[in-house]
Amino acid sequence: MKLLHTADWHIGRTLNGYSLLDEQKYAFKQILKIAKDEKVDGIVIAGDIYDRAIPGTDAIMALNEMFKEINIDNKFPIYAISGNHDGAKRLNYGRDWMEFNNFHINTLLEEAFTPIETPDTQIFLLPFFDPMDARVYYQKQGMDEDKVKSIKNISDAMALVLADMYRIFDPNKKHLLVTHFAVSASADKEIELTSETTSKVGGLETLTASQFDKFDYVMLGHIHTRLASPNERIRYSGSPVKFNVKEAKTTYNKGVYIVDTEKEADKTDLREILPGTDLIVLNETWENLLDPEFYSKQPVRKDWFAITIKDFDRTKHVHTNVRAQLQDIYGTVVELDYENIEKKANESTSKNISQLSKEETVDEFFQSITGNQLSKDQKTIVDDIFLELERGE
């Protein structure tokens, strides 16, 4: 069986107020062409299809057209799951009748225990879930109350879920898993959550690759860089579009993986996706940014720019519309920052709040007011609040 593995489309995403929809459509056209060229048996979308639980009308219309092109116009089966950004119940609408057209989408934990069966493969679609979802599910299954209460974190929950999946393995078939979690190579190795939240809310803490070792291949979503993949059999495709400046600083192109159950996975499985409008990061002095010899070498008025002005003295430019002057030269400037002596001093003595997770921000605020860190119970309450807000249910 041959599948195209992609994830984290985040349809409807914006970058500092600028819509990324055209860039997402451009990436989609490349994904569809790759699927045609490779003659795949289906397209896997491993979660975070939308950017938020209640997407805008333009995002809904765009995704609907993409699904139509994949599934109706080109007859490719779709194997999809919801991620932590998706509204699971909303995305679940119409699931039953979509299956008649080989459009398979799981958004609820209980759906994950019925694999998609092909002549030689079982495909398990495990959507994002949190420990509370697992406790509710297993309570309904008649599990002992004490054992239900013992499900404290996502690792506890995942152990039960995977054990139940392994019990229904057909020994005569290959076994594939599509899921949406942070998975590291080992318990002592952290992964770089490039562009995705560093939050541990709702079970986003890291799982380990060994938990999935009975699967022949695992197609992951959630981390936006394929470089976070634990190994060749358990891989992130990464997002098809750069979503922030941190991603723009990387030197590799986005892409998708071609998963062929008849061969061993390796680096040749990657198919690159090129940006339509790239995001260029510049960190230069004001004088250099205005120097024609410098900016003539940049893709001005073609790509987007995130600019940091080094050693900038605001007192010398009080009557200058800095952004307007830069946009007149470079075109779209989606992010503008200033690096000056005062800022450098502050950075050496304080944390950058943009680098903190939501929970860490609350903890920092709590400490500044009370002088104490949040207790374990308080952190659990904060996690639950952010989970409900994020899911938008």
Side-chain angles (χ1 to χ4, degrees):
M1 189 175 193
K2 196 175 184 182
L3 298 168
L4 184 150
H5 169 204
T6 180
D8 296 282
W9 287 10
H10 286 272
I11 301 299
R13 186 95 165 209
T14 61
L15 175 58
N16 294 335
Y18 291 86
S19 174
L20 292 173
L21 199 53
D22 286 342
E23 185 64 16
Q24 291 169 322
K25 291 177 181 179
Y26 187 84
F28 168 75
K29 291 297 183 183
Q30 294 178 72
I31 292 171
L32 186 58
K33 184 178 186 303
I34 292 168
K36 293 178 182 178
D37 292 344
E38 296 288 339
K39 297 181 174 59
V40 299
D41 299 308
I43 294 177
V44 169
I45 311 174
D48 281 356
I49 301 172
Y50 284 120
D51 188 55
R52 59 177 190 256
I54 307 177
T57 304
D58 56 346
I60 294 172
M61 293 175 64
L63 184 63
N64 183 69
E65 182 59 31
M66 292 174 187
F67 282 161
K68 176 178 176 293
E69 286 191 55
I70 293 172
N71 189 239
I72 297 177
D73 297 344
N74 289 282
K75 310 299 182 186
F76 287 117
I78 295 175
Y79 304 99
I81 59 171
S82 56
N84 56 298
H85 279 253
D86 296 309
K89 292 179 182 177
R90 291 179 179 85
L91 203 57
N92 197 268
Y93 179 77
R95 174 181 179 273
D96 292 337
W97 55 260
M98 285 191 291
E99 286 186 356
F100 283 103
N101 210 46
N102 269 328
F103 187 150
H104 307 277
I105 183 165
N106 284 2
T107 72
L108 305 175
L109 176 58
E110 55 262 34
E111 297 164 350
F113 301 102
T114 304
I116 311 302
E117 302 277 358
T118 74
D120 60 1
T121 306
Q122 286 181 309
I123 305 173
F124 290 81
L125 303 179
L126 176 61
F128 169 81
F129 67 94
D130 62 76
M132 179 58 75
D133 294 326
R135 288 195 288 270
V136 171
Y137 170 76
Y138 282 106
Q139 187 175 44
K140 289 181 179 178
Q141 301 307 305
M143 179 180 282
D144 178 77
E145 186 175 344
D146 288 338
K147 193 169 183 181
V148 169
K149 289 180 179 179
S150 71
I151 304 174
K152 301 293 186 182
N153 53 46
I154 195 60
S155 187
D156 296 337
M158 189 63 76
L160 292 169
V161 168
L162 292 177
D164 284 347
M165 287 182 170
Y166 295 150
R167 276 192 281 271
I168 55 177
F169 270 17
D170 184 334
N172 299 313
K173 293 184 178 185
K174 293 290 182 68
H175 309 104
L176 307 183
L177 175 67
V178 181
T179 195
H180 190 91
F181 288 95
V183 181
S184 66
S186 60
D188 59 351
K189 184 175 180 180
E190 294 183 356
I191 56 178
E192 178 66 23
L193 302 182
T194 304
S195 88
E196 182 51 282
T197 175
T198 55
S199 167
K200 293 184 178 180
V201 65
L204 297 186
E205 63 264 28
T206 302
L207 298 164
T208 57
S210 61
Q211 293 174 270
F212 304 91
D213 59 5
K214 288 184 173 60
F215 282 97
D216 294 288
Y217 194 89
V218 180
M219 289 169 270
L220 294 170
H222 180 56
I223 309 303
H224 293 178
T225 170
R226 64 177 181 271
L227 302 184
S229 300
N231 57 52
E232 294 294 340
R233 291 192 310 105
I234 304 175
R235 294 197 291 201
Y236 291 99
S237 67
S239 61
V241 170
K242 298 175 185 178
F243 290 132
N244 58 32
V245 172
K246 188 175 183 180
E247 287 188 84
K249 290 179 179 178
T250 59
T251 58
Y252 65 92
N253 289 325
K254 294 289 189 175
V256 299
Y257 279 118
I258 300 300
V259 179
D260 190 340
T261 60
E262 296 302 312
K263 73 178 192 68
E264 290 294 322
D266 59 39
K267 294 180 180 179
T268 64
D269 298 337
L270 178 70
R271 303 294 180 270
E272 290 191 340
I273 296 174
L274 301 178
T277 302
D278 208 351
L279 178 58
I280 309 300
V281 181
L282 300 178
N283 191 337
E284 301 289 338
T285 64
W286 178 248
E287 291 73 23
N288 207 27
L289 289 166
L290 270 57
D291 184 350
E293 187 175 348
F294 173 78
Y295 67 68
S296 64
K297 299 175 183 177
Q298 306 299 325
V300 297
R301 301 192 171 281
K302 177 183 179 295
D303 291 333
W304 288 357
F305 289 85
I307 299 175
T308 297
I309 309 175
K310 295 196 301 185
D311 304 321
F312 192 71
D313 188 347
R314 293 173 180 268
T315 63
K316 295 180 180 179
H317 299 275
V318 290
H319 300 298
T320 303
N321 188 330
V322 175
R323 180 180 285 274
Q325 196 164 341
L326 290 174
Q327 291 194 149
D328 188 53
I329 296 171
Y330 292 90
T332 303
V333 178
V334 298
E335 185 167 305
L336 180 60
D337 199 6
Y338 305 89
E339 184 182 281
N340 50 44
I341 297 174
E342 181 182 353
K343 182 175 181 179
K344 288 179 180 178
N346 289 338
E347 286 177 347
S348 66
T349 59
S350 63
K351 293 183 179 179
N352 184 350
I353 194 170
S354 66
Q355 300 301 314
L356 299 177
S357 69
K358 301 183 191 76
E359 294 72 34
E360 289 169 334
T361 302
V362 173
D363 196 22
E364 287 283 316
F365 177 74
F366 186 80
Q367 287 185 58
S368 70
I369 298 299
T370 68
N372 300 311
Q373 289 186 323
L374 290 170
S375 68
K376 184 177 180 180
D377 289 342
Q378 288 170 326
K379 286 181 179 180
T380 299
I381 292 171
V382 171
D383 282 358
D384 290 342
I385 291 171
F386 278 122
L387 176 62
E388 291 303 315
L389 290 172
E390 186 175 62
R391 298 175 78 182
E393 296 295 344

